[in-house]
Amino acid sequence: TIKEILENITGVEIKSSGTENGFTTISIRGSGSQNVLILIDNIPLNSSGGNNIDLSTITPSMIERIEIIKGGNSTLYGSNAMGGVVNIITKQENKDKRKIYFSTNFISCSIKSGIETIFNKNNINFLFSNAFIYEKGNFIFLNDNGTIYNTEDDFYDKRVNNSLLRISSLLKIKFNLLSKSFLEFGINNNFSNQGIAGPKNFTSFFTKAFNQKELLLFRINYNSGNLNKYITFETKTGYKFDYYNYENTDDITDNKNIKNYLNFFDTSLTLIFKEIPYNFLTIENYFSF
């Protein structure tokens, strides 16, 4: 899981709601999890609502590597990155591969299954990965009884039948063109029937939050390769569709569940100048809204 991958890194703290696939957040060097910017292939997952990103929705089988930025350098990415940046790079494999997996845990009543296929033919690289997770969500937890600052009335309770269902898919198609140039299309979709796998009265930590229901990412990359001796360019365009719920069980009005949609678009153009004596020059233009 993402928790197992990141929890042993110095300065990184991972919090989970109790189950293996439960709501998982990351904190870097003591910062709040809402101040850590989470990226997939450089597209931000954080919404303008300042929500905590649930890392458990990201399937490890889709990951090539994870880049973590700590400290002041993270401020280059904006106000959402004051605590740090986590950039998740999806797979870029070129070797043919077929994989089917299935596992179950009778204690937590969970099922994991998935399929992954990679093949190359006539300068076309095709990658498809799909993962399915189901979990009852039963576990023992410490109930604060609605009084966060009073520990004397706390008691142990059991969360029963949360029934978490999550489906994650990744599709990448890469066309290798002349002179090492290439054109790549990518689609990443994550769906969850519930935003939080945990106790419903986890009010002190998770209830008043933006719960992500579905995330859809599109990415198009083009690299000109060695078409010109002195200059090469690369352009990247990305689009994110984010569907989430804002849940507040303490709200006495009728607006306990507010459904919202967020859209994000970004594009960049990078010019790399070559054959310059004693120097290597890169000019990059970036635009997003």
Side-chain angles (χ1 to χ4, degrees), residues 5-13 27-29 68 70:
I5 294 173
L6 299 178
E7 63 184 356
N8 293 322
I9 298 178
T10 303
V12 173
E13 181 182 4
S27 172
I28 299 179
R29 291 182 175 176
I68 298 179
K70 310 173 187 177

Side-chain angles (χ1 to χ4, degrees), residues 100-105 110-114 132:
I100 298 177
Y101 62 90
F102 175 86
S103 66
T104 183
N105 187 322
S110 64
I111 297 175
K112 288 184 179 181
S113 64
F132 170 88

Side-chain angles (χ1 to χ4, degrees), residues 199-231:
K200 289 184 178 179
N201 55 349
F202 244 41
T203 54
S204 60
F205 205 81
F206 290 120
T207 302
K208 301 176 184 178
F210 290 92
N211 298 331
Q212 189 180 84
K213 298 295 183 180
E214 186 170 7
L215 174 68
L216 185 62
L217 300 175
F218 294 94
R219 170 68 75 179
I220 300 176
N221 298 340
Y222 174 73
N223 189 295
S224 66
N226 298 326
L227 295 180
N228 188 291
K229 180 180 179 181
Y230 300 103
I231 185 174

Side-chain angles (χ1 to χ4, degrees), residues 93 117-120 124-128 171-174:
E93 294 189 35
T117 178
I118 302 171
F119 69 85
N120 299 269
I124 298 177
N125 175 251
F126 177 89
L127 182 152
F128 175 75
L171 173 64
K172 278 190 174 183
I173 304 177
K174 183 178 180 181

Side-chain angles (χ1 to χ4, degrees), residues 67 122 169 211 215 268:
E67 302 171 347
N122 299 329
S169 302
N211 298 331
L215 174 68
S268 65

